[in-house]
Amino acid sequence: MNAKEHFKINFGKRLSSLIDNKNGISPLKKPVTRIELAKHIDSIDPPCSRQILYRYETGAATPDLHRLKIIAEFFQVSYDYLLGESEAIQR
């Protein structure tokens, strides 16, 4: 598996877990709707939609660095966690 495929798989799984707050993993301590997250991203870096988030989660698309930063800040997690490089969630 090359680095890009590794990123897509890990990022998608981590994003999905944070959105759904699986196992209480999110520092936000609650699930977030994809619409909420899409609106937040869209307010800073349009366009963003539920469909784009779904594509990130499934690995069909990857966010650019600016979007990655927005997502990490929204969930209060480290970039390394989102990238699958660390198990430490918080920055």
Side-chain angles (χ1 to χ4, degrees), residues 9-61:
I9 291 168
N10 282 317
F11 177 77
K13 285 180 182 177
R14 300 268 169 118
L15 179 61
S16 184
S17 291
L18 288 167
I19 289 171
D20 297 334
N21 194 27
K22 292 177 185 166
N23 302 319
I25 201 163
S26 173
L28 299 180
K29 304 293 184 217
K30 64 176 183 143
V32 174
T33 68
R34 283 155 185 82
I35 293 172
E36 284 177 272
L37 179 56
K39 283 182 180 179
H40 175 76
I41 295 169
D42 191 63
S43 72
I44 299 168
D45 185 26
C48 189
S49 65
R50 249 180 351 157
Q51 291 81 8
I52 290 172
L53 293 177
Y54 178 76
R55 291 177 51 106
Y56 292 165
E57 289 179 78
T58 61

Side-chain angles (χ1 to χ4, degrees), residues 18 27 71-73 75-79 81-82 89-91:
L18 288 167
I71 293 167
E73 289 174 350
F75 284 109
Q76 303 166 15
V77 297
S78 69
Y79 305 124
Y81 176 77
L82 279 178
I89 294 174
Q90 299 202 329
R91 308 185 228 189

